Amino acid sequence: SATAMVKRICHGGFSPSNIAMDGRFLDFGTITSVSRYQRRATRPLESDFSNEQTLLLDSLIELRFFIVKYIAIPKDSKLITQEELIAGFDTIYRKVQQIEFLKLTGVCEATAVAFSQEKAERFRQCLIAIIRQGNSPFVTWPGLWGAVEQRQKPSTSGIGELLTRLAFSQDAADTQEKITQEIGDFSIASEFTVLYLELRALYTALRPDNKEVQRRT
């Protein structure tokens, strides 16, 4: 689910019947690709793309409920509590999302994993903050958030375009200027700049030949 979110893939219909036991998506009738991390909802009264993982968590909680109700748990076994399930899901979701967001910059997974988890989480939070700026929900059916002509158009930042521009930045000042111009928030731009350049430096240091990547102009 975290990987799908970062790659802008919206399932649109999470339920216990369309999630495999190993986590794979089933039933692709509602699946879609979302443009620029827009908050798209495909079913009434349910979470939109920005927080679709809550539907997956609800499905896991529902599965646990029926396991407790209908399956005899051996005395020497222990079923995790609902609180443990929620906490474990949240931890794994954030960790996977951290790595996938770092990979959007063009670094390999080995570099993303080597980046400090504290910095990876701050990087994730910066991107989430950028995505949420001016990001209003829109739906694919009439009603709920108003008629089509009354809905506010999403005005999300293009993360892909932003990261492409940063790939050609030459120094910290240039990088921060590009980010500030894109998102209009100096505090987020400042923190994001530091983290982005540290990630790029780590990638360079971990390269086998230890040489800076040549950038095309």
Side-chain angles (χ1 to χ4, degrees), residues 175-206:
T175 301
Q176 185 164 316
E177 181 181 2
K178 283 182 169 61
I179 298 175
T180 304
Q181 289 175 350
E182 180 72 23
I183 67 175
D185 189 314
F186 179 81
S187 60
I188 295 177
S190 179
E191 180 172 22
F192 189 86
T193 298
V194 172
L195 294 169
Y196 175 80
L197 292 178
E198 286 187 16
L199 177 65
R200 199 157 83 177
L202 177 62
Y203 172 71
T204 302
L206 293 178

PDB file of all heavy atoms in Angstrom, residues 175-206:
ATOM      1  N   THR A 175      19.614  24.797  -4.900  1.00  0.00           N
ATOM      2  CA  THR A 175      18.603  23.800  -4.565  1.00  0.00           C
ATOM      3  C   THR A 175      17.472  24.426  -3.755  1.00  0.00           C
ATOM      4  O   THR A 175      16.288  24.232  -4.054  1.00  0.00           O
ATOM      5  CB  THR A 175      19.230  22.642  -3.765  1.00  0.00           C
ATOM      6  OG1 THR A 175      20.256  22.029  -4.536  1.00  0.00           O
ATOM      7  CG2 THR A 175      18.183  21.606  -3.394  1.00  0.00           C
ATOM      8  N   GLN A 176      17.827  25.180  -2.716  1.00  0.00           N
ATOM      9  CA  GLN A 176      16.797  25.789  -1.864  1.00  0.00           C
ATOM     10  C   GLN A 176      15.959  26.794  -2.637  1.00  0.00           C
ATOM     11  O   GLN A 176      14.747  26.894  -2.435  1.00  0.00           O
ATOM     12  CB  GLN A 176      17.448  26.475  -0.662  1.00  0.00           C
ATOM     13  CG  GLN A 176      16.432  27.037   0.329  1.00  0.00           C
ATOM     14  CD  GLN A 176      17.047  27.350   1.666  1.00  0.00           C
ATOM     15  OE1 GLN A 176      17.814  26.567   2.203  1.00  0.00           O
ATOM     16  NE2 GLN A 176      16.705  28.498   2.212  1.00  0.00           N
ATOM     17  N   GLU A 177      16.590  27.540  -3.522  1.00  0.00           N
ATOM     18  CA  GLU A 177      15.840  28.509  -4.330  1.00  0.00           C
ATOM     19  C   GLU A 177      14.813  27.807  -5.210  1.00  0.00           C
ATOM     20  O   GLU A 177      13.665  28.241  -5.318  1.00  0.00           O
ATOM     21  CB  GLU A 177      16.790  29.323  -5.202  1.00  0.00           C
ATOM     22  CG  GLU A 177      16.073  30.370  -6.067  1.00  0.00           C
ATOM     23  CD  GLU A 177      17.036  31.151  -6.943  1.00  0.00           C
ATOM     24  OE1 GLU A 177      18.248  30.861  -6.916  1.00  0.00           O
ATOM     25  OE2 GLU A 177      16.559  32.042  -7.671  1.00  0.00           O
ATOM     26  N   LYS A 178      15.208  26.700  -5.816  1.00  0.00           N
ATOM     27  CA  LYS A 178      14.294  25.950  -6.671  1.00  0.00           C
ATOM     28  C   LYS A 178      13.114  25.403  -5.873  1.00  0.00           C
ATOM     29  O   LYS A 178      11.964  25.441  -6.325  1.00  0.00           O
ATOM     30  CB  LYS A 178      15.041  24.808  -7.363  1.00  0.00           C
ATOM     31  CG  LYS A 178      15.906  25.248  -8.556  1.00  0.00           C
ATOM     32  CD  LYS A 178      16.557  24.039  -9.202  1.00  0.00           C
ATOM     33  CE  LYS A 178      17.200  24.400 -10.547  1.00  0.00           C
ATOM     34  NZ  LYS A 178      18.260  25.399 -10.416  1.00  0.00           N
ATOM     35  N   ILE A 179      13.394  24.885  -4.673  1.00  0.00           N
ATOM     36  CA  ILE A 179      12.321  24.321  -3.847  1.00  0.00           C
ATOM     37  C   ILE A 179      11.376  25.419  -3.383  1.00  0.00           C
ATOM     38  O   ILE A 179      10.149  25.272  -3.425  1.00  0.00           O
ATOM     39  CB  ILE A 179      12.904  23.573  -2.634  1.00  0.00           C
ATOM     40  CG1 ILE A 179      13.776  22.407  -3.093  1.00  0.00           C
ATOM     41  CG2 ILE A 179      11.784  23.054  -1.731  1.00  0.00           C
ATOM     42  CD1 ILE A 179      14.480  21.689  -1.979  1.00  0.00           C
ATOM     43  N   THR A 180      11.945  26.544  -2.921  1.00  0.00           N
ATOM     44  CA  THR A 180      11.115  27.643  -2.438  1.00  0.00           C
ATOM     45  C   THR A 180      10.218  28.167  -3.548  1.00  0.00           C
ATOM     46  O   THR A 180       9.037  28.466  -3.330  1.00  0.00           O
ATOM     47  CB  THR A 180      11.994  28.778  -1.886  1.00  0.00           C
ATOM     48  OG1 THR A 180      12.859  28.264  -0.864  1.00  0.00           O
ATOM     49  CG2 THR A 180      11.133  29.889  -1.289  1.00  0.00           C
ATOM     50  N   GLN A 181      10.747  28.289  -4.745  1.00  0.00           N
ATOM     51  CA  GLN A 181       9.950  28.746  -5.881  1.00  0.00           C
ATOM     52  C   GLN A 181       8.804  27.779  -6.182  1.00  0.00           C
ATOM     53  O   GLN A 181       7.709  28.196  -6.539  1.00  0.00           O
ATOM     54  CB  GLN A 181      10.843  28.890  -7.121  1.00  0.00           C
ATOM     55  CG  GLN A 181      11.818  30.051  -7.058  1.00  0.00           C
ATOM     56  CD  GLN A 181      12.758  30.058  -8.253  1.00  0.00           C
ATOM     57  OE1 GLN A 181      12.813  29.104  -9.024  1.00  0.00           O
ATOM     58  NE2 GLN A 181      13.515  31.144  -8.396  1.00  0.00           N
ATOM     59  N   GLU A 182       9.064  26.501  -5.990  1.00  0.00           N
ATOM     60  CA  GLU A 182       8.065  25.486  -6.328  1.00  0.00           C
ATOM     61  C   GLU A 182       6.940  25.412  -5.305  1.00  0.00           C
ATOM     62  O   GLU A 182       5.763  25.321  -5.665  1.00  0.00           O
ATOM     63  CB  GLU A 182       8.729  24.117  -6.458  1.00  0.00           C
ATOM     64  CG  GLU A 182       7.798  22.978  -6.813  1.00  0.00           C
ATOM     65  CD  GLU A 182       7.320  23.031  -8.248  1.00  0.00           C
ATOM     66  OE1 GLU A 182       7.996  23.659  -9.086  1.00  0.00           O
ATOM     67  OE2 GLU A 182       6.258  22.473  -8.532  1.00  0.00           O
ATOM     68  N   ILE A 183       7.284  25.459  -4.006  1.00  0.00           N
ATOM     69  CA  ILE A 183       6.271  25.219  -2.980  1.00  0.00           C
ATOM     70  C   ILE A 183       5.907  26.460  -2.172  1.00  0.00           C
ATOM     71  O   ILE A 183       4.913  26.458  -1.447  1.00  0.00           O
ATOM     72  CB  ILE A 183       6.718  24.100  -2.019  1.00  0.00           C
ATOM     73  CG1 ILE A 183       7.929  24.549  -1.180  1.00  0.00           C
ATOM     74  CG2 ILE A 183       7.039  22.834  -2.770  1.00  0.00           C
ATOM     75  CD1 ILE A 183       8.344  23.536  -0.141  1.00  0.00           C
ATOM     76  N   GLY A 184       6.728  27.515  -2.258  1.00  0.00           N
ATOM     77  CA  GLY A 184       6.392  28.761  -1.576  1.00  0.00           C
ATOM     78  C   GLY A 184       6.479  28.703  -0.066  1.00  0.00           C
ATOM     79  O   GLY A 184       5.842  29.510   0.619  1.00  0.00           O
ATOM     80  N   ASP A 185       7.205  27.768   0.500  1.00  0.00           N
ATOM     81  CA  ASP A 185       7.342  27.663   1.959  1.00  0.00           C
ATOM     82  C   ASP A 185       8.821  27.554   2.301  1.00  0.00           C
ATOM     83  O   ASP A 185       9.446  26.519   2.082  1.00  0.00           O
ATOM     84  CB  ASP A 185       6.579  26.437   2.467  1.00  0.00           C
ATOM     85  CG  ASP A 185       6.490  26.387   3.984  1.00  0.00           C
ATOM     86  OD1 ASP A 185       7.531  26.606   4.645  1.00  0.00           O
ATOM     87  OD2 ASP A 185       5.396  26.133   4.513  1.00  0.00           O
ATOM     88  N   PHE A 186       9.385  28.623   2.857  1.00  0.00           N
ATOM     89  CA  PHE A 186      10.829  28.671   3.102  1.00  0.00           C
ATOM     90  C   PHE A 186      11.274  27.641   4.132  1.00  0.00           C
ATOM     91  O   PHE A 186      12.329  27.025   3.983  1.00  0.00           O
ATOM     92  CB  PHE A 186      11.235  30.076   3.565  1.00  0.00           C
ATOM     93  CG  PHE A 186      12.701  30.205   3.859  1.00  0.00           C
ATOM     94  CD1 PHE A 186      13.621  30.403   2.827  1.00  0.00           C
ATOM     95  CD2 PHE A 186      13.183  30.120   5.161  1.00  0.00           C
ATOM     96  CE1 PHE A 186      14.981  30.512   3.092  1.00  0.00           C
ATOM     97  CE2 PHE A 186      14.540  30.220   5.434  1.00  0.00           C
ATOM     98  CZ  PHE A 186      15.435  30.421   4.391  1.00  0.00           C
ATOM     99  N   SER A 187      10.481  27.440   5.201  1.00  0.00           N
ATOM    100  CA  SER A 187      10.898  26.519   6.266  1.00  0.00           C
ATOM    101  C   SER A 187      10.992  25.086   5.761  1.00  0.00           C
ATOM    102  O   SER A 187      11.951  24.360   6.050  1.00  0.00           O
ATOM    103  CB  SER A 187       9.938  26.600   7.461  1.00  0.00           C
ATOM    104  OG  SER A 187       8.625  26.253   7.058  1.00  0.00           O
ATOM    105  N   ILE A 188       9.980  24.659   4.986  1.00  0.00           N
ATOM    106  CA  ILE A 188      10.013  23.309   4.417  1.00  0.00           C
ATOM    107  C   ILE A 188      11.147  23.205   3.403  1.00  0.00           C
ATOM    108  O   ILE A 188      11.883  22.213   3.359  1.00  0.00           O
ATOM    109  CB  ILE A 188       8.672  22.957   3.747  1.00  0.00           C
ATOM    110  CG1 ILE A 188       7.556  22.895   4.787  1.00  0.00           C
ATOM    111  CG2 ILE A 188       8.768  21.613   3.010  1.00  0.00           C
ATOM    112  CD1 ILE A 188       6.187  22.618   4.206  1.00  0.00           C
ATOM    113  N   ALA A 189      11.305  24.255   2.589  1.00  0.00           N
ATOM    114  CA  ALA A 189      12.361  24.256   1.578  1.00  0.00           C
ATOM    115  C   ALA A 189      13.737  24.140   2.211  1.00  0.00           C
ATOM    116  O   ALA A 189      14.607  23.426   1.715  1.00  0.00           O
ATOM    117  CB  ALA A 189      12.278  25.528   0.739  1.00  0.00           C
ATOM    118  N   SER A 190      13.935  24.819   3.334  1.00  0.00           N
ATOM    119  CA  SER A 190      15.229  24.791   4.012  1.00  0.00           C
ATOM    120  C   SER A 190      15.556  23.391   4.529  1.00  0.00           C
ATOM    121  O   SER A 190      16.659  22.876   4.332  1.00  0.00           O
ATOM    122  CB  SER A 190      15.218  25.792   5.175  1.00  0.00           C
ATOM    123  OG  SER A 190      16.457  25.768   5.863  1.00  0.00           O
ATOM    124  N   GLU A 191      14.594  22.768   5.211  1.00  0.00           N
ATOM    125  CA  GLU A 191      14.835  21.421   5.749  1.00  0.00           C
ATOM    126  C   GLU A 191      14.980  20.408   4.623  1.00  0.00           C
ATOM    127  O   GLU A 191      15.861  19.540   4.663  1.00  0.00           O
ATOM    128  CB  GLU A 191      13.699  21.007   6.671  1.00  0.00           C
ATOM    129  CG  GLU A 191      13.900  19.609   7.269  1.00  0.00           C
ATOM    130  CD  GLU A 191      12.895  19.251   8.328  1.00  0.00           C
ATOM    131  OE1 GLU A 191      11.801  19.860   8.353  1.00  0.00           O
ATOM    132  OE2 GLU A 191      13.179  18.348   9.135  1.00  0.00           O
ATOM    133  N   PHE A 192      14.129  20.525   3.612  1.00  0.00           N
ATOM    134  CA  PHE A 192      14.196  19.600   2.492  1.00  0.00           C
ATOM    135  C   PHE A 192      15.533  19.704   1.774  1.00  0.00           C
ATOM    136  O   PHE A 192      16.098  18.695   1.349  1.00  0.00           O
ATOM    137  CB  PHE A 192      13.046  19.883   1.521  1.00  0.00           C
ATOM    138  CG  PHE A 192      12.889  18.847   0.449  1.00  0.00           C
ATOM    139  CD1 PHE A 192      12.138  17.711   0.663  1.00  0.00           C
ATOM    140  CD2 PHE A 192      13.505  19.005  -0.783  1.00  0.00           C
ATOM    141  CE1 PHE A 192      11.987  16.752  -0.326  1.00  0.00           C
ATOM    142  CE2 PHE A 192      13.360  18.049  -1.777  1.00  0.00           C
ATOM    143  CZ  PHE A 192      12.600  16.928  -1.546  1.00  0.00           C
ATOM    144  N   THR A 193      16.053  20.918   1.644  1.00  0.00           N
ATOM    145  CA  THR A 193      17.339  21.128   0.971  1.00  0.00           C
ATOM    146  C   THR A 193      18.456  20.378   1.675  1.00  0.00           C
ATOM    147  O   THR A 193      19.256  19.673   1.041  1.00  0.00           O
ATOM    148  CB  THR A 193      17.687  22.624   0.914  1.00  0.00           C
ATOM    149  OG1 THR A 193      16.697  23.311   0.160  1.00  0.00           O
ATOM    150  CG2 THR A 193      19.048  22.848   0.270  1.00  0.00           C
ATOM    151  N   VAL A 194      18.520  20.523   2.983  1.00  0.00           N
ATOM    152  CA  VAL A 194      19.568  19.868   3.764  1.00  0.00           C
ATOM    153  C   VAL A 194      19.486  18.349   3.598  1.00  0.00           C
ATOM    154  O   VAL A 194      20.494  17.676   3.340  1.00  0.00           O
ATOM    155  CB  VAL A 194      19.452  20.239   5.257  1.00  0.00           C
ATOM    156  CG1 VAL A 194      20.411  19.403   6.102  1.00  0.00           C
ATOM    157  CG2 VAL A 194      19.728  21.729   5.460  1.00  0.00           C
ATOM    158  N   LEU A 195      18.293  17.809   3.729  1.00  0.00           N
ATOM    159  CA  LEU A 195      18.113  16.363   3.629  1.00  0.00           C
ATOM    160  C   LEU A 195      18.410  15.857   2.225  1.00  0.00           C
ATOM    161  O   LEU A 195      19.064  14.818   2.051  1.00  0.00           O
ATOM    162  CB  LEU A 195      16.679  15.990   4.017  1.00  0.00           C
ATOM    163  CG  LEU A 195      16.290  16.245   5.480  1.00  0.00           C
ATOM    164  CD1 LEU A 195      14.791  16.091   5.669  1.00  0.00           C
ATOM    165  CD2 LEU A 195      17.047  15.308   6.409  1.00  0.00           C
ATOM    166  N   TYR A 196      17.946  16.587   1.223  1.00  0.00           N
ATOM    167  CA  TYR A 196      18.164  16.176  -0.171  1.00  0.00           C
ATOM    168  C   TYR A 196      19.656  16.137  -0.494  1.00  0.00           C
ATOM    169  O   TYR A 196      20.146  15.172  -1.104  1.00  0.00           O
ATOM    170  CB  TYR A 196      17.438  17.123  -1.112  1.00  0.00           C
ATOM    171  CG  TYR A 196      17.702  16.844  -2.580  1.00  0.00           C
ATOM    172  CD1 TYR A 196      17.028  15.828  -3.250  1.00  0.00           C
ATOM    173  CD2 TYR A 196      18.646  17.589  -3.281  1.00  0.00           C
ATOM    174  CE1 TYR A 196      17.269  15.555  -4.590  1.00  0.00           C
ATOM    175  CE2 TYR A 196      18.899  17.327  -4.622  1.00  0.00           C
ATOM    176  CZ  TYR A 196      18.217  16.320  -5.269  1.00  0.00           C
ATOM    177  OH  TYR A 196      18.475  16.057  -6.597  1.00  0.00           O
ATOM    178  N   LEU A 197      20.391  17.154  -0.095  1.00  0.00           N
ATOM    179  CA  LEU A 197      21.823  17.209  -0.397  1.00  0.00           C
ATOM    180  C   LEU A 197      22.603  16.148   0.393  1.00  0.00           C
ATOM    181  O   LEU A 197      23.584  15.597  -0.106  1.00  0.00           O
ATOM    182  CB  LEU A 197      22.373  18.604  -0.099  1.00  0.00           C
ATOM    183  CG  LEU A 197      21.855  19.714  -1.036  1.00  0.00           C
ATOM    184  CD1 LEU A 197      22.416  21.065  -0.630  1.00  0.00           C
ATOM    185  CD2 LEU A 197      22.201  19.400  -2.490  1.00  0.00           C
ATOM    186  N   GLU A 198      22.167  15.857   1.609  1.00  0.00           N
ATOM    187  CA  GLU A 198      22.809  14.784   2.387  1.00  0.00           C
ATOM    188  C   GLU A 198      22.576  13.432   1.716  1.00  0.00           C
ATOM    189  O   GLU A 198      23.480  12.589   1.676  1.00  0.00           O
ATOM    190  CB  GLU A 198      22.269  14.770   3.817  1.00  0.00           C
ATOM    191  CG  GLU A 198      22.792  15.912   4.692  1.00  0.00           C
ATOM    192  CD  GLU A 198      22.372  15.748   6.138  1.00  0.00           C
ATOM    193  OE1 GLU A 198      21.952  14.640   6.530  1.00  0.00           O
ATOM    194  OE2 GLU A 198      22.479  16.732   6.881  1.00  0.00           O
ATOM    195  N   LEU A 199      21.367  13.239   1.212  1.00  0.00           N
ATOM    196  CA  LEU A 199      21.061  11.985   0.510  1.00  0.00           C
ATOM    197  C   LEU A 199      21.905  11.867  -0.755  1.00  0.00           C
ATOM    198  O   LEU A 199      22.460  10.810  -1.042  1.00  0.00           O
ATOM    199  CB  LEU A 199      19.577  11.943   0.160  1.00  0.00           C
ATOM    200  CG  LEU A 199      19.101  10.725  -0.644  1.00  0.00           C
ATOM    201  CD1 LEU A 199      19.250   9.441   0.181  1.00  0.00           C
ATOM    202  CD2 LEU A 199      17.646  10.908  -1.094  1.00  0.00           C
ATOM    203  N   ARG A 200      22.036  12.945  -1.489  1.00  0.00           N
ATOM    204  CA  ARG A 200      22.828  12.932  -2.715  1.00  0.00           C
ATOM    205  C   ARG A 200      24.299  12.671  -2.408  1.00  0.00           C
ATOM    206  O   ARG A 200      24.975  11.922  -3.129  1.00  0.00           O
ATOM    207  CB  ARG A 200      22.665  14.265  -3.457  1.00  0.00           C
ATOM    208  CG  ARG A 200      23.045  14.189  -4.917  1.00  0.00           C
ATOM    209  CD  ARG A 200      22.387  15.276  -5.720  1.00  0.00           C
ATOM    210  NE  ARG A 200      23.128  16.536  -5.655  1.00  0.00           N
ATOM    211  CZ  ARG A 200      22.779  17.629  -6.324  1.00  0.00           C
ATOM    212  NH1 ARG A 200      21.692  17.615  -7.084  1.00  0.00           N
ATOM    213  NH2 ARG A 200      23.479  18.741  -6.245  1.00  0.00           N
ATOM    214  N   ALA A 201      24.795  13.263  -1.311  1.00  0.00           N
ATOM    215  CA  ALA A 201      26.186  13.043  -0.910  1.00  0.00           C
ATOM    216  C   ALA A 201      26.405  11.587  -0.500  1.00  0.00           C
ATOM    217  O   ALA A 201      27.450  10.995  -0.805  1.00  0.00           O
ATOM    218  CB  ALA A 201      26.548  13.977   0.240  1.00  0.00           C
ATOM    219  N   LEU A 202      25.423  11.007   0.181  1.00  0.00           N
ATOM    220  CA  LEU A 202      25.538   9.603   0.590  1.00  0.00           C
ATOM    221  C   LEU A 202      25.571   8.697  -0.631  1.00  0.00           C
ATOM    222  O   LEU A 202      26.366   7.744  -0.689  1.00  0.00           O
ATOM    223  CB  LEU A 202      24.362   9.225   1.485  1.00  0.00           C
ATOM    224  CG  LEU A 202      24.291   7.760   1.941  1.00  0.00           C
ATOM    225  CD1 LEU A 202      25.505   7.400   2.780  1.00  0.00           C
ATOM    226  CD2 LEU A 202      23.007   7.503   2.725  1.00  0.00           C
ATOM    227  N   TYR A 203      24.731   8.993  -1.613  1.00  0.00           N
ATOM    228  CA  TYR A 203      24.707   8.202  -2.840  1.00  0.00           C
ATOM    229  C   TYR A 203      26.065   8.254  -3.532  1.00  0.00           C
ATOM    230  O   TYR A 203      26.594   7.231  -3.980  1.00  0.00           O
ATOM    231  CB  TYR A 203      23.619   8.724  -3.779  1.00  0.00           C
ATOM    232  CG  TYR A 203      23.654   8.086  -5.156  1.00  0.00           C
ATOM    233  CD1 TYR A 203      23.271   6.761  -5.333  1.00  0.00           C
ATOM    234  CD2 TYR A 203      24.074   8.815  -6.268  1.00  0.00           C
ATOM    235  CE1 TYR A 203      23.305   6.166  -6.584  1.00  0.00           C
ATOM    236  CE2 TYR A 203      24.113   8.230  -7.530  1.00  0.00           C
ATOM    237  CZ  TYR A 203      23.727   6.910  -7.678  1.00  0.00           C
ATOM    238  OH  TYR A 203      23.777   6.320  -8.924  1.00  0.00           O
ATOM    239  N   THR A 204      26.656   9.450  -3.596  1.00  0.00           N
ATOM    240  CA  THR A 204      27.970   9.605  -4.222  1.00  0.00           C
ATOM    241  C   THR A 204      29.036   8.823  -3.462  1.00  0.00           C
ATOM    242  O   THR A 204      29.888   8.154  -4.061  1.00  0.00           O
ATOM    243  CB  THR A 204      28.371  11.093  -4.278  1.00  0.00           C
ATOM    244  OG1 THR A 204      27.371  11.817  -5.003  1.00  0.00           O
ATOM    245  CG2 THR A 204      29.713  11.269  -4.949  1.00  0.00           C
ATOM    246  N   ALA A 205      28.973   8.880  -2.123  1.00  0.00           N
ATOM    247  CA  ALA A 205      29.967   8.191  -1.300  1.00  0.00           C
ATOM    248  C   ALA A 205      29.870   6.676  -1.425  1.00  0.00           C
ATOM    249  O   ALA A 205      30.886   5.972  -1.323  1.00  0.00           O
ATOM    250  CB  ALA A 205      29.796   8.600   0.163  1.00  0.00           C
ATOM    251  N   LEU A 206      28.660   6.180  -1.666  1.00  0.00           N
ATOM    252  CA  LEU A 206      28.463   4.727  -1.740  1.00  0.00           C
ATOM    253  C   LEU A 206      28.676   4.162  -3.131  1.00  0.00           C
ATOM    254  O   LEU A 206      28.678   2.946  -3.302  1.00  0.00           O
ATOM    255  CB  LEU A 206      27.047   4.377  -1.260  1.00  0.00           C
ATOM    256  CG  LEU A 206      26.746   4.616   0.220  1.00  0.00           C
ATOM    257  CD1 LEU A 206      25.304   4.266   0.534  1.00  0.00           C
ATOM    258  CD2 LEU A 206      27.695   3.834   1.118  1.00  0.00           C
TER     259      LEU A 206
END
